[in-house]
Amino acid sequence: MLDIFKAIILGIVEGITEFLPISSTGHLYLADYIVKLNQPKAFIDMFMVVIQLGAILSVIVIYFHKLNPFSPKKSSREKGQTWQIWFKVIVAVLPSVIIGLPLNDWLEAHATTWQVISATLIIYGVLFIILENYYSKKEPSLTNLNSLSYQTALLIGCFQVLSLVPGTSRSGATILGAMLIGCSRFVSTEFSFFLAIPTMFGASLLKLVKFFKTGHVFVGNQLAILLVGLVVSFIVAYLSIKFLLKYVQTHDFKPFGWYRIILGIVVIACGLIFA
């Protein structure tokens, strides 16, 4: 039962942090010190990635109509626009597939350290503050998602590659990149959500395949632990997305930048104490 309770806590952490630009990896790294699952390392490594599926489902539920090209409530023009969004998402995913897959194992083995996570948390926190200071003096050139070009989608996908380094934050890298090339905060945030669907699904599927391919199976209450984490992360991510969509309409990302810097310092302290 204790591990079920821990799965609830980790699901809450994942749900809150996955779509906010504050790094779910950094938070789960800290949470692992406090609520470490009493399970084999292989299961814990898989669990920390696969609970993202709950967060993915929350995006699909919230945007089901907008992302459904077969909806009978849409006109032919609207269905065409929906297909265009999906094609742009596919184009944006390509850099992560081409670059990320070959580097996945190496990064997992060498970059998931408190030194790397704290550095990326702080660096991107500073970048968010600098960007917002610059952004406040300019008007975004792209305020409608349907106007997003394939070239812009590909560039945003290239920024997503940066999130392969733990602590960067997938949403942070894509939102930051989209804003840098002229997208509004709202467009940057929405496209980041859509880009998460194939990206996070692919990462979770890859982790599950590796888990079973190396001879592991679910034993004891491991399946229950995973399902609890998935359900909790779905519920909390749903609320987190709703919050962020409302937040970006009237606020900037500076608070997230400062938060990342503070969290990076906390990770350094924990790394030095517990390493």
Side-chain angles (χ1 to χ4, degrees), residues 1-266:
M1 277 303 295
L2 183 58
D3 271 354
I4 295 292
F5 178 70
K6 290 178 179 178
I8 292 173
I9 296 175
L10 293 171
I12 291 172
V13 173
E14 164 64 23
I16 292 174
T17 60
E18 185 58 54
F19 294 107
L20 300 182
I22 52 178
S23 173
S24 59
T25 304
H27 286 81
L28 288 172
Y29 180 87
L30 286 176
D32 189 46
Y33 281 122
I34 304 168
V35 291
K36 193 174 187 69
L37 292 169
N38 186 29
Q39 297 291 333
K41 185 177 184 302
F43 176 81
I44 294 174
D45 290 344
M46 180 273 297
F47 174 89
M48 292 296 193
V49 175
V50 175
I51 55 172
Q52 293 176 345
L53 289 174
I56 295 171
L57 185 57
S58 68
V59 177
I60 294 172
V61 169
I62 290 172
Y63 285 102
F64 184 77
H65 176 70
K66 187 167 186 174
L67 293 176
N68 180 11
F70 305 106
S71 173
K73 296 179 181 179
K74 288 183 176 179
S75 65
S76 296
R77 179 173 175 272
E78 289 172 330
K79 290 178 180 178
Q81 288 176 332
T82 304
W83 280 116
Q84 287 295 314
I85 289 174
W86 276 113
F87 294 150
K88 291 167 188 174
V89 166
I90 292 170
V91 167
V93 165
L94 291 177
S96 292
V97 173
I98 296 169
I99 300 173
L101 283 178
L103 291 176
N104 182 264
D105 289 340
W106 187 89
L107 287 169
E108 195 173 279
H110 298 90
T112 310
T113 65
W114 67 264
Q115 293 95 334
V116 173
I117 292 171
S118 60
T120 50
L121 281 168
I122 293 171
I123 289 169
Y124 283 91
V126 171
L127 287 175
F128 260 118
I129 294 169
I130 293 173
L131 174 64
E132 283 294 0
N133 287 334
Y134 169 77
Y135 201 75
S136 64
K137 301 168 186 173
K138 296 190 67 176
E139 287 294 324
S141 57
L142 198 155
T143 58
N144 187 324
L145 187 62
N146 290 321
S147 301
L148 188 80
S149 68
Y150 282 95
Q151 181 181 2
T152 301
L154 182 61
L155 286 172
I156 295 173
C158 290
F159 279 101
Q160 181 174 248
V161 173
L162 298 173
S163 67
L164 293 170
V165 181
T168 298
S169 168
R170 192 207 57 80
S171 61
T174 51
I175 291 172
L176 190 70
M179 288 175 63
L180 274 172
I181 55 182
C183 298
S184 68
R185 291 187 189 91
F186 193 83
V187 169
S188 301
T189 302
E190 270 205 334
F191 193 70
S192 174
F193 291 159
F194 301 159
L195 189 50
I197 297 173
T199 302
M200 293 162 60
F201 181 82
S204 299
L205 182 62
L206 180 63
K207 200 69 176 177
L208 275 173
V209 169
K210 285 183 178 180
F211 180 76
F212 291 119
K213 193 175 180 180
T214 51
H216 297 97
V217 294
F218 292 130
V219 295
N221 64 343
Q222 287 181 345
L223 181 57
I225 292 169
L226 181 60
L227 290 175
V228 167
L230 286 169
V231 171
V232 173
S233 68
F234 164 74
I235 296 170
V236 178
Y238 183 95
L239 298 173
S240 179
I241 290 170
K242 289 287 190 180
F243 160 77
L244 188 59
L245 287 173
K246 187 175 181 180
Y247 176 90
V248 297
Q249 295 182 46
T250 54
H251 299 80
D252 63 28
F253 286 108
K254 278 186 185 178
F256 294 113
W258 287 113
Y259 179 83
R260 288 180 65 101
I261 293 169
I262 294 169
L263 181 65
I265 294 170
V266 172

